[in-house]
Amino acid sequence: MIPFAWNVVLAMVWVVLTANLSATNALFGFVLGYAAIALMQRQFPALHGYAQRVPRFIGFLFFYAWEMIKANARVAHDVVTPEWQMRPGVIAIPLEAKTDGEITVLANLISLTPGTLSLDVSTDRQVLYIHAMYLDDEVELLESIKDLERRVLEVMR
Amino acid sequence: MVEIATYLVFAMLSVALILALVRLIKGPMLPNRVVALELIASLVVGFIAAYSIHTGVDDFIDVAIVMALLAFMAAVGFARYLEKGGPRDD
Amino acid sequence: MTEWLLEGLTALMLLLGGGLMLIAAIGAVRLPDLPTRLHATTKAGALGAALTIAAVALHFACISVTARAAAVIVFIVLTAPVAAHLIGRAGYFVGVPLWEGTVKDELRDRYDPESHVLRSGLTKQAAESGGKQRGRDA
């Protein structure tokens, strides 16, 4: 979070120095700030790993957008066709995420995709209970959620 | 082109509002009605957006902000109320 | 040329958003139980609303509108899953019946409504070591 704040500050400095408040210029300033931080990060412990995290984050955004589109299309198709193809159910997902923040982000991302809805976390925080619409292949569903979790943790840790 | 699209969206959203109203009346329990209310709020936000394009007045966006905020607060309030044990069969 | 493309994109996003919301409404009427209805309404509905707002930003294409539109979109995307989770959780624990086509329910018999303890169902040892690490109870 701190390196990101620095990056935003550097972008703002760039905007002020060039006296040009447009979205393209701000974005260019952000890219320049990112390059500066990427060069400096070895010397400053607070900045460690930032240069690797930004491309991962952008990659994650694309991955998640694609998942969203697929899930939306599936649910929409099921809603408009007469027979139900869904086999809904509540299943338990073992959690890799440990802290409150990680579990919150993961649960919300799971809830945001149609077809999966997080219901609750067990009291000992080992397991996340989700309601899923398509349980034809439980192993596949479990794997796709573990994949999502792995990517989330990669970005957050 | 945008003009035609807004008219189409108005038509779609009107049908959607009627359907949401059907679910609101049918229930069968309070949680289902809350779902319908949440959906109606989303539909109204969409309506405001389409209307803002239709009339060319951008200030309607502020109305959409308030609408989204109110819908979220209502959902949270209803969920608390249900969990604390209010009547559910209404 | 650019203008034409921008208009086309605006119209497309409007129609896509409207279509998604219409599908969400159809789902709200047709789907058989509370959680499946939530799948359709809160998420498809919120996404449709976000798309139409994005179309507004594209249509006016000036900073003040774009900033406000971005705020609305971020707000909708942040709150939609929270609202869905809250309603779904409250409905589930209140005892709204699930559809008879539901194939599996791993939660119901692991929840104790008296003490509000929700067991994880993993082996006891794993659960204990996890509990020790964080030392948190309901």
Side-chain angles (χ1 to χ4, degrees):
Chain A
M1 225 39 222
I2 294 164
F4 180 73
W6 273 113
N7 202 342
V8 171
V9 168
L10 285 176
M12 268 155 51
V13 168
W14 173 262
V15 166
V16 169
L17 286 180
T18 53
N20 177 5
L21 181 68
S22 72
T24 356
N25 197 44
L27 197 70
F28 185 61
F30 193 84
V31 173
L32 282 184
Y34 170 71
I37 290 178
L39 285 177
M40 286 194 304
Q41 67 170 345
R42 281 201 196 162
Q43 273 77 34
F44 297 91
L47 301 180
H48 265 324
Y50 180 67
Q52 287 80 29
R53 214 176 293 173
V54 168
R56 252 190 240 150
F57 179 70
I58 294 168
F60 176 76
L61 282 187
F62 277 103
F63 162 79
Y64 192 72
W66 177 235
E67 290 287 305
M68 272 294 266
I69 293 169
K70 275 197 295 185
N72 263 303
R74 196 172 186 189
V75 173
H77 176 255
D78 207 0
V79 166
V80 291
T81 48
E83 300 105 41
W84 299 125
Q85 284 139 24
M86 61 178 187
R87 298 163 54 74
V90 180
I91 61 164
I93 307 271
L95 275 176
E96 206 81 25
K98 294 293 173 219
T99 63
D100 277 346
E102 285 165 5
I103 295 177
T104 311
V105 169
L106 180 69
N108 275 347
L109 286 176
I110 287 175
S111 282
L112 193 56
T113 38
T116 50
L117 173 73
S118 50
L119 282 177
D120 209 348
V121 182
S122 70
T123 309
D124 57 9
R125 300 212 265 176
Q126 297 283 319
V127 156
L128 178 68
Y129 288 96
I130 67 166
H131 182 276
M133 248 173 112
Y134 298 98
L135 276 181
D136 324 306
D137 192 350
E138 208 184 313
V139 181
E140 195 193 310
L141 178 76
L142 208 70
E143 246 159 39
S144 75
I145 286 176
K146 290 309 266 184
D147 185 43
L148 176 71
E149 184 183 28
R150 193 175 49 74
R151 284 165 194 265
V152 171
L153 292 183
E154 250 177 21
V155 171
M156 288 192 70
R157 277 178 181 162
Chain B
M1 193 158 36
V2 174
E3 190 80 344
I4 305 165
T6 48
Y7 279 118
L8 277 174
V9 168
F10 284 147
M12 284 196 266
L13 289 185
S14 306
V15 176
L17 272 172
I18 293 169
L19 291 174
L21 204 65
V22 169
R23 177 47 69 199
L24 183 67
I25 292 167
K26 264 166 75 178
M29 282 165 90
L30 186 57
N32 283 307
R33 293 183 218 276
V34 180
V35 170
L37 281 175
E38 186 83 345
L39 178 62
I40 287 176
S42 287
L43 294 175
V44 170
V45 170
F47 229 114
I48 292 167
Y51 191 68
S52 148
I53 289 181
H54 183 69
T55 54
V57 182
D58 56 20
D59 294 327
F60 284 125
I61 289 269
D62 299 333
V63 186
I65 295 178
V66 174
M67 197 67 221
L69 202 85
L70 279 179
F72 178 61
M73 294 319 262
V76 173
F78 268 118
R80 295 300 290 175
Y81 171 74
L82 277 171
E83 289 205 355
K84 297 290 173 210
R88 291 130 196 180
D89 305 325
D90 55 1
Chain C
M1 182 61 197
T2 341
E3 199 136 299
W4 183 83
L5 202 70
L6 221 62
E7 267 202 10
L9 202 60
T10 311
L12 187 73
M13 277 166 101
L14 265 178
L15 287 177
L16 209 62
L20 262 177
M21 284 192 271
L22 182 58
I23 286 172
I26 296 171
V29 174
R30 279 200 66 210
L31 285 165
D33 68 351
L34 178 71
T36 49
R37 267 176 219 143
L38 276 171
H39 284 301
T41 57
T42 6
K43 295 156 212 180
L47 202 70
L51 270 175
T52 45
I53 295 281
V56 173
L58 219 62
H59 181 73
F60 289 104
C62 73
I63 285 208
S64 83
V65 177
T66 311
R68 278 180 290 171
V72 183
I73 291 172
V74 167
F75 186 77
I76 289 176
V77 169
L78 279 183
T79 57
V82 177
H85 161 76
L86 278 173
I87 301 172
R89 192 189 124 91
Y92 186 91
F93 286 124
V94 153
V96 176
L98 296 181
W99 184 42
E100 63 266 23
T102 305
V103 289
K104 202 169 186 183
D105 188 352
E106 289 186 348
L107 206 169
R108 183 71 73 196
D109 45 350
R110 291 188 197 155
Y111 177 68
D112 180 7
E114 293 297 312
S115 59
H116 296 288
V117 170
L118 180 59
R119 283 176 293 119
S120 61
L122 295 179
T123 55
K124 206 173 173 210
Q125 201 180 5
E128 265 175 4
S129 70
K132 246 178 230 159
Q133 272 164 21
R134 286 174 295 282
R136 176 184 173 273
D137 52 317

